[in-house]
Each structure stands twice: as C-alpha cells, then as structure tokens.
Amino acid sequence: MTTEFGLIDYIVFAAYAVLILGVGLWVSREKDGQQKNAEDYFLASKSLPWWAIGSSLIAANISAEQFIGMSGSGFALGLAIASYEWMAAFTLIIVGKYFLPIFIEKGIYTIPEFVEKRFSTNLKTILAIFWIALYVFVNLTTVLYLGGLAIETILGVDMMYAIIGLALFSAAYSLYGGLSAVAWTDVIQVVFLVLGGLVTTYLALNTVSDGAGMWEGLKTVYDAAPDRFVMILDESNPEYMNLPGIGVLIGGLWVANIYYWGFNQYIIQRTLAAKSLKEAQKGIILAAFLKLLIPFIVVIPGIAAYVMVNDPEIMARLGASAMENLPGLGTADRAYPWLLHFLPAGMKGLAFAALAAAIVSSLASMLNSTSTIFTMDIYKQYINPTANDKATVNAGRLSGAAALLIAVIMAPLLGGIDQAFQFIQEYTGIVSPGILGVFLLGLFWKKTTNKAAIWGALVSIPIALFFKIGPKGWIEGDMFPTLPWMDQMGYTTVLTMIVIAVLSLMQNKGKDDQKGITLTNDFFKTSPLFNICSFAIMIILVVVYAIFWK
C-alpha cells in the first residue's frame, strides 16, 4: 500500500476545487443591469432555504479545528471530546426556539447591531472590535495553521505555501460573491465533508480489523482501548481538567456552546439570511441532526489511530512508511493527516477534498462575517456613514482581504500547539462568559441597563483571569484550588451576570430599562415539525450518553 498521492487522487481533488470555484463564481455573478447591494452581499438577499442554511451552518462550523484538532483530542483522550458535538445538537434547538425569533424580528445584519438596538452604540463598537480581533487573530489564524499543517503532513508541501494556497482558494469566491457564494458552495462542501469523513472512518476501522469490516474494526478498537470510550471522565483521568466529568453536562460547556451557536456572527449570519423564521428553524434542525453524526467522522478516526500506533502487529502490517509523521502524546494533532496516508488510491483524494472542504468553507465564512461586522458596524458607523451600496460592498471586500492577509502572516507563529481544538476552546473561554452574560440578560431581563452591561463585559475578563491564573499563580494553599477551565467559564458567567444584575437594579431602582425587549409566548411558538425533530434529537442524546457514560 503506497502512502503517496497518485494521479487519481489529484484528479479527484482537482475536480472538487474546480466545482467549488465554478459554483462560487457562478453564484457571485451580477445579473445584467443589477449591482449587488448590502443585503445581497452580506445576507444573500435573505433568500436562503432551510437545506442551504443547515448545510452552511455545519460547513462553517466543521473545520481543521474538528478534523485535525478534535481527531487529535480523540487520539489523546477519546470519545469524551464528542460532548462538544452532541451537546451542540441540543444547543441548536435552544437557539432555534428562543434566540432566532428575536434576532429575525429585529431585522439585523450583525450581532453587534443587535447590541446597539438593545444597549448602545458604545457597547456595540466595543464588541465589534473584539469580534474582529477574535476572528482574525484566533479563528482565521488557527484554521489556516491547522490546514497548512495537514497539507504539509499529507503532501509534503511547505506550510507557508499551503497556508497561502488555502487563503487564495477561499478568497477567490467568498470576497467577490459574499454570503450567497459562501452559503451555496457550502451545500457542496458538506457533501464532500460528510462523504469523505465517513470513508476515512470506514477505512481506518477496516484497517484495524485487517480487512474484516467497519463493525469488526469498531469492536477491535473498543476492546483495545475501552478507556477511550468513556464520555464522563472521573477525577483520576489525566484529562479531567479539560473535560471535568459531570461538569461537562451541567457546567461550562453550555457557556461555550450557547455563546458559539447563539451569538457568533459567522454562525448566526446564515440564519439571518433565511427566507423566513420557520425556514431558519428548519435549517437549525438539519444542522442539529448532522451534529449527531460528526463524532463518527472526526473523533472515531482519532481513536482508531491511537489503537493502530500502539499495536505492533498493525504497525508492522502498515510497513516502514507508517513511522513517518507518527502521532504521539505530544503530537496528537498528527492523527488525522497520518491516517490519510493509508487510504487506497482515489480515496486519499476524496478524504483530502473533505478536509479541504472543511477548511475552505470555514475560512470563507469567517472572512464574510469579519467583513460584515467591519463594514456595517465600523465603516458605516464611523468612516463613511453615507456610503452607497457600491462603496459598502467594496469596503466589505477590502476588509476581508486585509483580515486574510493578517491571518496568513500570523498563522505560522502557532507552531508547536498540541490538541489545538482544546487550546482554542480554553482561551476563547476567557472572553465568552462575559459576552454570554450580557446577551442572556439583555434578551430575557428587561431591567438590564447599558451601563451595567458595559461594566459586566469589562469585569468578566479579570474574573476569568483570576480563575485561570490567580489560584495557581498568586495564591498558595488549598483555599483556592485550581479549577478545570470549563468550571472556570461557568463561574465567570454566573459572577458576571450577578454584577450586571446588581448594577442594573442600582441604576434603575428596579424599573425596566427603556430598551428592554418585551417578549410574549407567541415569540417562541414553533411548528410541529420542529417540536417532533427536537424531541427525536433529545432521545438520541439520552441513548448515546446512557451507552457511553462510564
């Protein structure tokens, strides 16, 4: 079995690239006599159907962080990392039922725009600058780095050239076509992503079982590493600080998930572009069902790689080439790229196309959302308030290009990070609790004031840093034990909300804020289809956790 890419693999990948670029540019074209306006470019003319929304949500979400980073965490700690995906399915139901109705009723382009309508322009600007910095220096940079790492590992291409190639590929259609090009190509990207991911999982398990098939391979993997199939870790587990047992289900993971799926521009922007609220909610349900599938695509291969690396018989069967770029305790993120080497001719190209689809679709989504926030919340607010549609769209394209250039320069500096998925979640968790606290109270508590929200957002950072650095850096003894970072997020959110609540009551003497949102039961009515599908998803989650609890 050769580990090199063959002609058929390059043909498969080239066909994928041509298809994506062709569809992206075709969708992006301007019709005769018509020019893109802001709604066309940033919200796809508010015309997306449910299946495009659901596909685009997953394509935007699944990236190198999952394929490379989550497979690496699967290699290092096992199925417990799948809680991110399975709990996200439940989170999507909450977002669809309780958040989307408010956002769509407000007719917003961006999440910072909602902040302005509920609170103030000052808070909107603070959060807009924060999100732009987060997308450029964390999200775009990390996806480019992990994508470059994968291409370097698989094809031997220098990482810098791989990063530049990925950046140009994603920019080719997303900067020109806007959200419409991103969303419609995402439908194709998801097909490659899911199909290629399932092929990799099947062939990895088939290799473990020495050709006896996927189910036999899954049994072999489970028998060889039963500790990798425990969902709820106990305190004796070395990875407990990353996934703190029952705290995963009732603690800080909710902070990460609700913040990400409910108030993250490059995720929620797809639903804002829906034909209607019901169409957006159907898209949310499709995405939730797809999330149930994702661990089988990104986590199981990592566990299979762990079993392969630690089985001398399997390694001997794979040959000397298996020792190249071998994943290990400090290099877990090599697991998925390493697996691709052992796929048959043609399947390597398909699996690589799936990986590329995950990377490029996320890059395109992040670029579009970064340019949307900059253009609508900074450029139109402070630089050119009277900008016409042409100037607005051009500002979006230029700001996206600038963000991509900065990320390309920064990406190589991330070298040496192990378990990148965990790294991203942990450090995003310093800022997300405060923002979540502001949004939850702003949405559902009419007494929340602007001044209290600003103070809460600012105070949340030192609170988070105290939990992260203080107990082990400034204070000695057992009075302040080091907490798992998920627990830190949970406590930070609660304390931030208490600060906001106290300051709001002090400022308005218990009265409702003038900009408070009046909500009625009609806001949250959902269709029978949404309710039935939501119930089915919850039943599946209960069964999964019951099987893999311990």
Coordinates of all heavy atoms in Angstrom, one line a residue, residues 298-344:
V298 N -15.0 12.6 12.9 CA -13.8 13.3 13.4 C -13.1 12.7 14.7 O -11.9 12.8 14.9 CB -14.0 14.8 13.6 CG1 -14.4 15.5 12.3 CG2 -15.0 15.1 14.7
V299 N -13.9 12.1 15.5 CA -13.4 11.5 16.8 C -13.0 10.1 16.7 O -11.9 9.7 17.1 CB -14.4 11.7 17.9 CG1 -13.8 11.2 19.2 CG2 -14.8 13.2 18.1
I300 N -13.8 9.2 16.1 CA -13.5 7.8 15.9 C -12.2 7.6 15.2 O -11.4 6.7 15.6 CB -14.7 7.1 15.3 CG1 -16.0 7.1 16.1 CG2 -14.4 5.6 15.0 CD1 -15.8 6.5 17.5
P301 N -12.0 8.3 14.1 CA -10.7 8.1 13.4 C -9.5 8.4 14.3 O -8.5 7.7 14.2 CB -10.7 9.1 12.3 CG -12.1 9.3 11.9 CD -12.8 9.2 13.3
G302 N -9.6 9.4 15.2 CA -8.5 9.7 16.2 C -8.3 8.5 17.1 O -7.1 8.1 17.4
I303 N -9.4 7.9 17.6 CA -9.3 6.7 18.5 C -8.7 5.6 17.7 O -7.8 4.8 18.3 CB -10.7 6.4 19.1 CG1 -11.2 7.6 19.9 CG2 -10.5 5.2 20.0 CD1 -12.7 7.3 20.4
A304 N -9.1 5.4 16.5 CA -8.5 4.3 15.7 C -7.0 4.5 15.5 O -6.3 3.5 15.6 CB -9.3 4.2 14.3
A305 N -6.6 5.7 15.3 CA -5.2 6.0 15.1 C -4.4 5.7 16.4 O -3.3 5.1 16.3 CB -5.0 7.5 14.7
Y306 N -5.0 5.9 17.5 CA -4.4 5.6 18.8 C -4.2 4.1 18.9 O -3.1 3.7 19.4 CB -5.3 6.1 20.0 CG -4.8 5.7 21.3 CD1 -3.8 6.3 22.0 CD2 -5.4 4.6 22.0 CE1 -3.3 5.9 23.2 CE2 -5.0 4.2 23.2 CZ -4.0 4.8 23.9 OH -3.5 4.4 25.1
V307 N -5.2 3.3 18.6 CA -5.1 1.9 18.6 C -4.0 1.4 17.7 O -3.2 0.5 18.0 CB -6.4 1.2 18.4 CG1 -6.3 -0.3 18.3 CG2 -7.4 1.6 19.5
M308 N -4.0 1.9 16.5 CA -3.0 1.5 15.5 C -1.6 1.8 15.9 O -0.7 0.9 15.8 CB -3.3 2.2 14.1 CG -4.6 1.8 13.5 SD -5.2 2.9 12.2 CE -4.0 2.6 10.9
V309 N -1.4 3.0 16.4 CA 0.0 3.4 16.8 C 0.5 2.5 18.0 O 1.7 2.2 18.0 CB 0.0 4.8 17.2 CG1 1.3 5.2 18.0 CG2 -0.1 5.7 16.0
N310 N -0.4 2.0 18.8 CA 0.0 1.2 20.0 C -0.1 -0.3 19.8 O 0.0 -1.0 20.7 CB -0.8 1.7 21.2 CG -0.4 3.0 21.7 OD1 0.6 3.2 22.4 ND2 -1.2 4.0 21.4
D311 N -0.3 -0.7 18.6 CA -0.4 -2.1 18.2 C 0.7 -2.5 17.3 O 0.7 -2.2 16.1 CB -1.8 -2.4 17.6 CG -2.0 -3.9 17.5 OD1 -1.1 -4.7 17.1 OD2 -3.2 -4.4 17.7
P312 N 1.8 -3.2 17.8 CA 2.9 -3.5 17.0 C 2.5 -4.3 15.7 O 3.1 -4.2 14.7 CB 3.8 -4.3 17.9 CG 3.4 -3.9 19.3 CD 1.9 -3.6 19.2
E313 N 1.5 -5.2 15.9 CA 1.1 -6.0 14.7 C 0.6 -5.2 13.6 O 0.9 -5.4 12.4 CB 0.1 -7.1 15.2 CG -0.3 -8.1 14.1 CD -1.3 -9.1 14.6 OE1 -1.3 -9.4 15.8 OE2 -2.1 -9.5 13.8
I314 N -0.3 -4.2 14.0 CA -0.9 -3.4 12.9 C 0.2 -2.5 12.3 O 0.3 -2.3 11.1 CB -2.0 -2.5 13.5 CG1 -3.2 -3.3 14.0 CG2 -2.4 -1.4 12.5 CD1 -4.3 -2.5 14.7
M315 N 1.1 -2.0 13.1 CA 2.2 -1.1 12.6 C 3.1 -1.9 11.7 O 3.6 -1.4 10.6 CB 3.0 -0.5 13.8 CG 2.2 0.5 14.6 SD 1.7 1.9 13.6 CE 3.2 2.7 13.4
A316 N 3.4 -3.2 12.0 CA 4.2 -4.0 11.1 C 3.5 -4.2 9.8 O 4.1 -4.3 8.7 CB 4.5 -5.3 11.8
R317 N 2.2 -4.4 9.9 CA 1.4 -4.6 8.7 C 1.4 -3.4 7.7 O 1.4 -3.5 6.5 CB 0.0 -5.0 9.1 CG -0.8 -5.8 8.0 CD -2.0 -6.4 8.7 NE -3.0 -5.5 9.2 CZ -3.6 -5.5 10.4 NH1 -3.2 -6.5 11.2 NH2 -4.4 -4.6 10.7
L318 N 1.4 -2.2 8.3 CA 1.4 -1.0 7.6 C 2.8 -0.7 6.9 O 2.8 0.0 5.9 CB 1.0 0.2 8.5 CG -0.5 0.1 9.0 CD1 -0.7 1.3 9.9 CD2 -1.4 0.3 7.8
G319 N 3.8 -1.2 7.5 CA 5.2 -1.1 6.9 C 5.9 0.1 7.4 O 5.4 0.9 8.3
A320 N 7.1 0.3 6.9 CA 8.0 1.3 7.4 C 7.5 2.8 7.2 O 7.8 3.7 8.0 CB 9.4 1.2 6.7
S321 N 6.7 2.9 6.2 CA 6.1 4.3 5.9 C 5.2 4.8 7.1 O 5.0 6.0 7.2 CB 5.4 4.3 4.6 OG 4.3 3.4 4.7
A322 N 4.7 3.8 7.8 CA 3.8 4.2 9.0 C 4.6 5.0 10.0 O 3.9 5.6 10.9 CB 3.2 3.0 9.6
M323 N 5.9 4.9 10.0 CA 6.6 5.6 11.1 C 6.8 7.1 10.7 O 7.3 7.8 11.6 CB 8.0 4.9 11.2 CG 7.9 3.5 11.6 SD 7.0 3.2 13.1 CE 8.0 4.0 14.3
E324 N 6.4 7.5 9.6 CA 6.6 8.9 9.2 C 5.5 9.7 9.8 O 4.3 9.4 9.7 CB 6.6 9.0 7.6 CG 7.7 8.3 6.9 CD 7.6 8.4 5.4 OE1 6.7 9.2 5.0 OE2 8.3 7.7 4.7
N325 N 5.8 10.9 10.4 CA 4.8 11.8 11.0 C 3.9 11.1 12.0 O 2.7 11.4 12.0 CB 4.0 12.5 9.9 CG 4.8 13.4 9.0 OD1 5.5 14.3 9.6 ND2 4.8 13.3 7.7
L326 N 4.5 10.2 12.7 CA 3.7 9.4 13.7 C 3.1 10.2 14.8 O 3.8 11.0 15.4 CB 4.6 8.3 14.3 CG 4.0 7.1 15.0 CD1 3.2 6.3 13.9 CD2 5.0 6.3 15.7
P327 N 1.8 10.1 15.0 CA 1.2 10.9 16.2 C 1.6 10.2 17.5 O 1.9 9.0 17.6 CB -0.3 10.7 15.9 CG -0.5 9.5 15.1 CD 0.8 9.4 14.3
G328 N 1.7 11.1 18.5 CA 2.1 10.6 19.8 C 1.5 11.5 20.9 O 0.7 12.3 20.7
L329 N 2.0 11.3 22.1 CA 1.5 12.1 23.3 C 1.6 13.6 23.1 O 0.7 14.3 23.4 CB 2.2 11.6 24.6 CG 1.9 10.2 25.0 CD1 2.7 9.9 26.3 CD2 0.4 10.0 25.3
G330 N 2.7 14.0 22.5 CA 2.9 15.5 22.3 C 2.5 15.9 20.9 O 2.6 17.1 20.6
T331 N 2.1 15.0 20.1 CA 1.8 15.4 18.7 C 0.5 14.7 18.2 O 0.4 14.2 17.1 CB 2.9 14.9 17.7 OG1 3.2 13.5 17.9 CG2 4.2 15.7 18.0
A332 N -0.5 14.8 19.1 CA -1.8 14.2 18.8 C -2.5 14.7 17.5 O -3.2 14.0 16.9 CB -2.7 14.4 20.0
D333 N -2.2 16.0 17.2 CA -2.9 16.6 16.0 C -2.4 16.0 14.7 O -2.9 16.4 13.7 CB -2.8 18.1 16.0 CG -3.7 18.8 17.1 OD1 -4.7 18.1 17.4 OD2 -3.4 19.9 17.5
R334 N -1.4 15.1 14.7 CA -1.0 14.5 13.5 C -1.9 13.3 13.2 O -1.7 12.7 12.1 CB 0.5 14.0 13.7 CG 1.5 15.1 13.7 CD 2.9 14.5 13.9 NE 3.9 15.5 14.0 CZ 5.2 15.2 14.2 NH1 5.6 13.9 14.3 NH2 6.1 16.1 14.3
A335 N -2.8 12.9 14.1 CA -3.5 11.6 13.9 C -4.3 11.6 12.6 O -4.2 10.6 11.8 CB -4.5 11.4 15.1
Y336 N -5.1 12.6 12.3 CA -5.9 12.5 11.1 C -5.1 12.6 9.8 O -5.3 11.8 8.9 CB -7.0 13.7 11.1 CG -8.1 13.4 10.1 CD1 -9.2 12.6 10.5 CD2 -8.1 13.9 8.8 CE1 -10.3 12.4 9.6 CE2 -9.1 13.6 7.9 CZ -10.2 12.9 8.4 OH -11.2 12.6 7.5
P337 N -4.1 13.6 9.7 CA -3.3 13.5 8.4 C -2.5 12.2 8.3 O -2.4 11.8 7.1 CB -2.4 14.7 8.7 CG -3.1 15.6 9.6 CD -3.9 14.7 10.5
W338 N -2.1 11.7 9.4 CA -1.4 10.4 9.3 C -2.2 9.3 8.8 O -1.8 8.5 8.0 CB -0.8 10.0 10.7 CG -0.1 8.7 10.8 CD1 1.2 8.5 10.5 CD2 -0.6 7.5 11.4 NE1 1.5 7.2 10.7 CE2 0.5 6.6 11.3 CE3 -1.8 7.1 11.9 CZ2 0.3 5.2 11.7 CZ3 -1.9 5.8 12.3 CH2 -0.9 4.9 12.3
L339 N -3.5 9.2 9.2 CA -4.4 8.2 8.7 C -4.6 8.3 7.2 O -4.8 7.2 6.5 CB -5.8 8.4 9.4 CG -6.0 7.7 10.8 CD1 -7.4 8.0 11.3 CD2 -5.8 6.2 10.7
L340 N -4.7 9.5 6.7 CA -5.0 9.6 5.2 C -3.9 8.9 4.4 O -4.2 8.6 3.2 CB -5.1 11.1 4.8 CG -6.2 11.9 5.5 CD1 -6.4 13.2 4.8 CD2 -7.5 11.2 5.6
H341 N -2.7 8.8 4.9 CA -1.7 8.1 4.1 C -2.0 6.7 3.7 O -1.5 6.2 2.7 CB -0.4 8.1 4.9 CG 0.4 9.4 4.9 ND1 0.8 10.0 6.0 CD2 0.7 10.2 3.8 CE1 1.4 11.1 5.7 NE2 1.3 11.3 4.4
F342 N -2.9 6.0 4.5 CA -3.1 4.6 4.3 C -4.4 4.3 3.6 O -4.9 3.1 3.5 CB -3.1 3.9 5.7 CG -1.8 4.2 6.4 CD1 -1.9 5.1 7.5 CD2 -0.6 3.8 6.0 CE1 -0.7 5.4 8.2 CE2 0.6 4.1 6.7 CZ 0.5 4.9 7.8
L343 N -5.1 5.3 3.0 CA -6.3 5.1 2.2 C -5.9 4.7 0.8 O -4.8 5.0 0.3 CB -7.1 6.4 2.2 CG -7.6 7.0 3.5 CD1 -8.5 8.2 3.2 CD2 -8.3 5.9 4.3
P344 N -6.8 3.9 0.2 CA -6.5 3.4 -1.2 C -6.5 4.6 -2.2 O -7.0 5.7 -1.9 CB -7.6 2.5 -1.5 CG -8.3 2.2 -0.2 CD -8.0 3.4 0.7

